[in-house]
Amino acid sequence: MTENNGRVAELIKKHLLETLTETERVELDAWMSESDANRRFFNRFEDKEYVARELELMSRADTDASLSRTLDILGVEKKQPVRLVWMRYAVAAALLLAIATGGYFWLKARSGNTPPIAKNTAPAQDVPAGGDKAILTLADGSQIVLDSAANGDLAQQGSIKVQKLNGQLKYSVGHSDDVYAAGTAYNTVRTPRGGQYELVLQDGTKVWLNAASTLKYPTAFNGRERIVELTGEGYFEVKPLTPKGGQGKIPFKVLVPGGQEVEVLGTHFNIMAYKDEPLMRTTLLEGSVRVHAMTGDQKPTLLAPGQQAQISSSGAVLVDQNADVDQAVAWKNGFQIFHNADLPTILRQVSRWYDVDVEYQTKAFPEMGLDGTIPRSVSLQNMIKVLELNNDQVHLKLENNKIIVLP
């Protein structure tokens, strides 16, 4: 089962209200078996004492009429008499669940304890999470704002058709099945801070761009090699292609200007190459890639699945043999995962995703790194609360779209 917060919430709510079908029960069981964190998250809403405590915080004058209105809001059909006492608990738990998936969540703190889930009393000032936002620049210089463009055809460039389909930018050969369509026209997709976007190149390669990133690519590849340029962060699923005649494979290269060249033959990998990060990181999930630092004199480094190449500004290459792959690609899957991360590293990511600046009023940071798994869908105020819950030495304030790090 895919990690879909809305679907999981719906399944748990149906379980609590005893409306779960057998098929949905199998789906929920599969999700719970994926990890201990999932199981702990589910169990919290079956804890009657926990629900009772939270229910006490709700209106104590809850009448049958108000309960009925709540059931209507939750979309529960009352086709048969319900046990009112348990239903009150179930409704309370379902409401807490909606709060949890909307802003609070299980947190893998060092202690292994899950902090209490509180009501989402969002303050007046808050910043929503980022979303699908990008600008497409065509070969003639014209621009299309993708987040506001309607689904359908966007442009025709020679034989190449550019379309937006369900939030995804897709290139395809409009008049031929020939994937080696000739052409040297280049397009660019740029995501702002607070944006991300997915696209499918003319050869079938899929690319996910993180916030504050740019991808430059030809509208069609010439059949000899495939070269794109990346700044920021991108996840690639490269489609292997055989040249005409069937000998070998057509190489795919990702260039990071002034940084590195990554050559692949057909693989899944992530490149993080922001200018404000101390290292460029290429993490391999599947296949093989050859990483070559553009500065320094080191030879190209061949990576195997599960490894990460880390390149410093001097061109030195360090290979992490057992890279945290889940952490590297968490952003693409809708999460932010931190393992023993320092506060500045986390806030650089937060700054890009929420489109806010960071001001430091202290240089004293927590000695202990932060750990956590956080949905990228949470608002900034909830993100701040979680960071503070994770470590009592973290003190943050949101003011005028700026995170202030307090002493």
Side-chain angles (χ1 to χ4, degrees):
M1 175 178 174
T2 58
E3 222 25 280
N4 184 312
N5 288 345
R7 179 57 177 166
V8 170
E10 179 69 17
L11 291 174
I12 298 178
K13 184 187 79 175
K14 286 187 173 184
H15 165 79
L16 294 169
L17 300 174
E18 300 179 352
T19 61
L20 203 62
T21 66
E22 285 302 316
T23 301
E24 290 170 333
R25 165 62 62 189
V26 172
E27 189 177 359
L28 180 58
D29 288 344
W31 175 79
M32 286 191 290
S33 67
E34 287 179 2
S35 69
D36 291 338
N38 290 359
R39 171 67 67 176
R40 290 194 299 270
F41 185 70
F42 171 84
N43 288 342
R44 176 166 291 276
F45 298 98
E46 287 210 315
D47 183 347
K48 291 185 180 181
E49 292 184 2
Y50 164 73
V51 174
R53 289 195 303 270
E54 294 299 326
L55 182 61
E56 191 70 15
L57 298 175
M58 298 181 181
S59 174
R60 299 185 183 185
D62 192 12
T63 63
D64 288 0
S66 65
L67 173 62
S68 178
R69 288 195 298 272
T70 303
L71 292 173
D72 290 338
I73 293 172
L74 289 170
V76 178
E77 296 183 9
K78 302 186 291 295
K79 294 183 178 180
Q80 56 185 1
V82 298
R83 292 173 285 123
L84 182 58
V85 174
W86 169 244
M87 184 58 74
R88 285 171 60 86
Y89 286 115
V91 169
L95 288 172
L96 292 172
L97 174 68
I99 293 167
T101 55
Y104 284 82
F105 41 88
W106 64 92
L107 185 68
K108 299 186 291 187
R110 287 185 183 277
S111 63
N113 297 326
T114 304
I117 296 176
K119 286 191 176 71
N120 188 5
T121 53
Q125 184 186 48
D126 203 352
V127 176
D132 293 339
K133 304 172 188 176
I135 296 175
L136 167 65
T137 301
L138 301 174
D140 62 3
S142 59
Q143 295 187 329
I144 300 173
V145 180
L146 295 176
D147 34 308
S148 60
N151 282 322
D153 294 349
L154 298 179
Q156 185 79 36
Q157 300 177 106
S159 64
I160 304 301
K161 181 184 294 185
V162 186
Q163 298 174 300
K164 178 184 175 181
L165 301 173
N166 299 319
Q168 180 189 75
L169 185 65
K170 184 175 182 180
Y171 286 73
S172 58
V173 180
H175 307 301
S176 167
D177 293 330
D178 184 4
V179 297
Y180 309 108
T184 56
Y186 283 84
N187 284 186
T188 301
V189 170
R190 178 180 62 83
T191 57
R193 294 202 307 178
Q196 63 181 14
Y197 220 80
E198 179 184 351
L199 61 154
V200 180
L201 303 180
Q202 173 260 339
D203 65 339
T205 292
K206 294 182 179 180
V207 185
W208 286 259
L209 284 182
N210 203 352
S213 301
T214 301
L215 186 73
K216 181 180 179 181
Y217 51 93
T219 57
F221 298 102
N222 58 23
R224 295 184 297 275
E225 61 181 359
R226 299 171 286 171
I227 300 177
V228 300
E229 291 185 11
L230 171 73
T231 60
E233 184 166 20
Y235 176 82
F236 294 78
E237 292 185 356
V238 176
K239 183 176 181 179
L241 287 181
T242 302
K244 292 180 178 179
Q247 297 297 320
K249 292 185 178 180
I250 301 175
F252 189 102
K253 296 180 180 179
V254 182
L255 302 182
V256 177
Q260 64 177 326
E261 175 185 289
V262 178
E263 181 179 353
V264 304
L265 296 176
T267 191
H268 298 183
F269 61 98
N270 189 84
I271 297 178
M272 191 273 285
Y274 289 107
K275 293 182 179 179
D276 61 348
E277 294 289 345
L279 297 172
M280 288 179 287
R281 304 175 189 268
T282 297
T283 309
L284 181 63
L285 284 76
E286 223 178 84
S288 63
V289 298
R290 184 179 292 108
V291 180
H292 185 201
M294 306 300 286
T295 56
D297 56 1
Q298 285 192 251
K299 294 181 180 179
T301 301
L302 188 65
L303 294 184
Q307 294 182 341
Q308 181 184 86
Q310 303 172 358
I311 302 178
S312 67
S313 58
S314 65
V317 181
L318 174 67
V319 176
D320 184 345
Q321 302 289 342
N322 296 290
D324 190 336
V325 173
D326 291 338
Q327 181 180 15
V329 302
W331 68 270
K332 177 251 182 187
N333 297 324
F335 289 88
Q336 297 181 82
I337 298 178
F338 305 120
H339 290 162
N340 196 28
D342 60 74
L343 188 60
T345 296
I346 293 174
L347 291 183
R348 285 196 297 271
Q349 297 183 40
V350 169
S351 172
R352 289 190 288 263
W353 182 234
Y354 292 93
D355 189 15
V356 293
D357 294 324
V358 179
E359 177 183 312
Y360 289 91
Q361 295 186 356
T362 178
K363 295 182 179 180
F365 302 124
E367 293 182 3
M368 184 178 70
L370 283 76
D371 294 314
T373 298
I374 307 175
R376 283 184 23 128
S377 59
V378 304
S379 72
L380 181 53
Q381 282 286 9
N382 284 326
M383 165 69 78
I384 288 173
K385 282 184 170 62
V386 169
L387 294 177
E388 292 178 331
L389 278 171
N390 195 283
N391 192 309
D392 58 12
Q393 298 179 51
V394 174
H395 305 289
L396 307 173
K397 180 174 69 172
L398 177 60
E399 187 176 277
N400 299 324
N401 275 28
K402 179 187 293 184
I403 297 174
I404 300 175
V405 183
L406 302 170

